[in-house]
Amino acid sequence: MILRIDDTDVERNTETSLNSIFDGLAWLDLGWDEQYKQSERLALHKQIAEAIFLKDLAYRDFTPPQAGEADKSGAQGTWLFNAGMRELTREESDRRAAAGEPFALRYRVPRDTVRSIHFTDAVYGEQSKSSADIEDFALLRSDGMPTYHLASCADDADLRISHIIRGQDHLTNTFKHVLIFEAAGVTPPTFAHLPLLVAPDGTKLSKRRHGPVVSVTTYRDAGFLPQAFVNFICLLGWSPKDDREKMSRQELVEVFSLEGVNRSNAVVNFSEQEPFDPKAVWLNAEYIRAQSPEEVCAELTPIVKNAGYDTAKLPQITLLVRERIRLLNEVLTVGDFFFEDELAPYDAAELIPKKGDAAMALRVLQRACEVLAVAEFTHDGLESSLRAAAGSLGIKAGQMFEPIRVAACGRKNAPPLFATLEVLGRETCLKRVAQATEKLKSI
RNA sequence: GGCGCUAUCGUCUAACGGUUAGGACGGAGCCCUCUCAAGGCUUAAAUACGGGUUCGAUUCCCGUUAGCGCUACCA
């Protein structure tokens, strides 16, 4: 595995975007054996370009670069080359170059005899295109820098790349690459193009338009497990054909094949409300639940620490939140009442149980206060004393538990009551029940 | 405009030319239950359209439509 940074476009290449790539690869545990930067291999690129030029398979184009965006949707015919430049005599070309006139080096695509360029794609099958439909693409820019096409082919040849696996947006560029390999006298590698990942509106995902969605670090920072994320990504455009969904890295590697890759683009289903694909979130939850409590606790620790909370009780809390969080970061929202000293403000009406009224809630809390003061503070001890209390008050257990839960957690939906109270401890529980009682009296 | 690629439930996807078109996520409902979650069960939901070929097309061919990609020195 070779990591090659394709950075021939100096303007767009930034340190931060590069770091984001490294961070993402590290998080996903994707390693490599050799590493190169194209910008450090310019001599090789120029050498290959020179060789192609010497074979007369490329020519200098002194036409100034087109200003601004070319009109691509316009009704103009297909542009193939700039008039006059292809036919320039060698002497004329050399003279203008020697005079310091800037030029781009263009590939001289066969025109007199139209021929068919073809290659076999490991995913899309046999591909062919008439040379008459391929423009004289640039090899070198007028500043002497190689284009992506030249640089990647030169490097692929030099580094003996066996497989080029890349986005389908390069499928039609591949004909140009075949031409370059041919001119360089090199056998092309195996090509495999993968379907694109697109936004719900069908357009291809781009850094500019879909910022966070395309950055791997976004998923890391949101609390995805790397294995879950890899699993999800693998299921976009490929499937094991046997209904398996949750698969380990090992299983994925064993069963993956380029032939099994789909040819149509896959939608990453995100929106403003739901920034992550629901299936990715679900898979992540599956992975969290599949981990041991110790493993989950270890994952949660830095998150809780970062939020400025004490992690002493985290092992117990983990047991209660593990099947309630889908992203690791949700520990902070699902378990907030475990960490905060003071509960976030909540509506006193929440304390009123189903089929009950404020008076019932008040009686429950007052009794709870007495019971919690003396009960054995364990799951079973709390359960038996609170159930007994409900009985003596003549109400249903649920009606007893609900006000206490809200008093302790600040909301109706929370982990199981007795375990929660046990983790919170007698002191905190009594304090919160007392606060809830006051709250109730004020309405 | 030219060239190329693609087209199965909302989304990700299965289906030697012969299936009641399957699974998963999400949705709805029920069960379980101290709430939530998890779990179990049930349910709605698709072959873009039109022609062929064939005894029989989701599947093969052609066309249409739609989407995407590339298209004068981005990658």
Side-chain angles (χ1 to χ4, degrees):
Chain A
M1 175 79 168
I2 294 174
L3 177 68
R4 192 176 73 213
I5 308 294
D6 287 4
D7 57 351
T8 52
D9 184 1
V10 187
E11 286 177 26
R12 289 208 325 191
N13 180 46
T14 69
E15 192 69 22
T16 47
S17 64
L18 195 55
N19 283 336
S20 165
I21 291 169
F22 281 125
D23 286 353
L25 289 172
W27 179 61
L28 294 175
D29 192 27
L30 295 175
W32 53 91
D33 308 296
E34 300 172 47
Q35 183 180 330
Y36 303 94
K37 266 180 115 163
Q38 279 193 329
S39 56
E40 292 166 355
R41 302 168 55 83
L42 300 178
L44 171 75
H45 307 148
K46 286 175 184 174
Q47 183 193 321
I48 301 282
E50 179 73 11
I52 295 175
F53 176 67
L54 256 22
K55 288 184 192 168
D56 204 33
L57 293 171
Y59 63 92
R60 299 191 185 101
D61 182 349
F62 295 94
T63 312
Q66 186 120 350
E69 274 289 289
D71 184 9
K72 284 166 185 166
S73 57
Q76 286 104 325
T78 312
W79 175 91
L80 291 173
F81 55 88
N82 288 320
M85 293 300 163
R86 227 178 117 97
E87 303 79 17
L88 231 47
T89 63
R90 189 53 175 272
E91 293 69 36
E92 171 77 354
S93 177
D94 286 348
R95 188 185 56 72
R96 289 174 71 168
E101 193 175 339
F103 62 86
L105 191 70
R106 287 189 184 285
Y107 193 100
R108 190 188 300 278
V109 177
R111 307 237 172 263
D112 304 333
T113 53
V114 172
R115 65 182 185 96
S116 179
I117 317 296
H118 63 91
F119 65 94
T120 304
D121 189 276
V123 172
Y124 287 87
E126 291 297 321
Q127 302 292 317
S128 67
K129 187 169 183 171
S130 166
S131 64
D133 291 321
I134 302 174
E135 76 281 3
D136 284 0
F137 54 95
L139 261 18
L140 292 178
R141 298 196 257 268
S142 50
D143 62 1
M145 286 291 282
T147 60
Y148 159 77
H149 304 301
L150 173 69
S152 63
C153 290
D155 284 331
D156 291 338
D158 184 62
L159 299 171
R160 296 192 212 272
I161 300 300
S162 62
H163 290 72
I164 297 183
I165 305 174
R166 56 177 26 158
Q168 191 240 50
D169 47 351
H170 281 304
L171 192 62
T172 47
N173 282 334
T174 305
F175 295 104
K176 299 170 192 168
H177 299 176
V178 168
L179 250 15
I180 296 177
F181 284 120
E182 186 182 280
V186 175
T187 309
T190 298
F191 296 103
H193 289 85
L194 270 20
L196 262 21
L197 260 31
V198 300
D201 67 0
T203 57
K204 91 168 173 176
L205 287 180
S206 75
K207 196 118 199 158
R208 256 193 69 199
R209 296 188 54 207
H210 311 104
V213 180
V214 297
S215 178
V216 172
T217 50
T218 300
Y219 298 86
R220 177 196 63 190
D221 297 340
F224 276 88
L225 256 14
Q227 313 90 289
F229 185 71
V230 167
N231 195 156
F232 170 70
I233 290 294
C234 285
L235 260 15
L236 253 22
W238 174 85
S239 84
K241 321 292 184 212
D242 62 4
D243 290 345
R244 267 186 297 172
E245 304 251 62
K246 183 164 176 283
M247 287 187 283
S248 67
R249 173 91 55 116
Q250 178 78 26
E251 288 175 291
L252 288 165
V253 168
E254 277 168 13
V255 71
F256 179 84
S257 76
L258 288 171
E259 293 69 33
V261 175
N262 296 142
R263 291 185 279 269
S264 53
N265 294 343
V267 174
V268 178
N269 209 358
F270 66 93
S271 64
E272 301 236 344
Q273 300 77 29
E274 293 273 340
F276 302 114
D277 192 303
K279 195 154 191 170
V281 174
W282 166 78
L283 247 188
N284 201 57
E286 288 279 301
Y287 273 83
I288 290 176
R289 290 193 290 268
Q291 284 191 324
S292 70
E294 293 73 27
E295 287 171 318
V296 178
C297 185
E299 299 279 0
L300 258 24
T301 301
I303 295 168
V304 172
K305 262 200 185 121
N306 255 331
Y309 298 125
D310 181 25
T311 56
K313 287 181 176 173
L314 197 52
Q316 296 161 274
I317 295 170
T318 300
L319 262 12
L320 296 176
V321 299
R322 189 168 59 133
E323 29 183 63
R324 273 162 261 268
I325 58 174
R326 300 166 312 160
L327 304 175
L328 295 172
N329 288 12
E330 287 176 352
V331 66
L332 298 176
T333 51
V334 169
D336 58 346
F337 53 85
F338 284 124
F339 305 115
E340 294 283 1
D341 280 339
E342 290 298 321
L343 249 24
Y346 61 91
D347 187 353
E350 296 280 296
L351 291 161
I352 299 170
K354 258 192 275 270
K355 292 179 185 163
D357 52 20
M360 183 191 282
L362 201 54
R363 268 183 290 139
V364 166
L365 291 179
Q366 281 164 345
R367 175 59 67 89
C369 199
E370 300 160 21
V371 172
L372 293 177
V374 298
E376 184 196 345
F377 238 74
T378 63
H379 177 283
D380 294 348
L382 287 163
E383 173 156 21
S384 59
S385 10
L386 287 175
R387 283 195 189 277
S392 71
L393 283 177
I395 60 175
K396 288 185 176 173
Q399 292 175 312
M400 179 81 197
F401 302 155
E402 199 172 317
I404 300 174
R405 172 178 294 108
V406 175
C409 306
R411 67 178 109 96
K412 283 187 162 139
N413 297 339
L417 186 59
F418 315 120
T420 300
L421 296 180
E422 184 182 348
V423 173
L424 285 172
R426 193 191 306 273
E427 195 186 330
T428 302
C429 290
L430 286 174
K431 187 181 87 180
R432 289 184 181 175
V433 168
Q435 284 170 339
T437 309
E438 288 309 308
K439 217 174 168 70
L440 205 50
K441 283 178 179 164
S442 69
I443 57 170

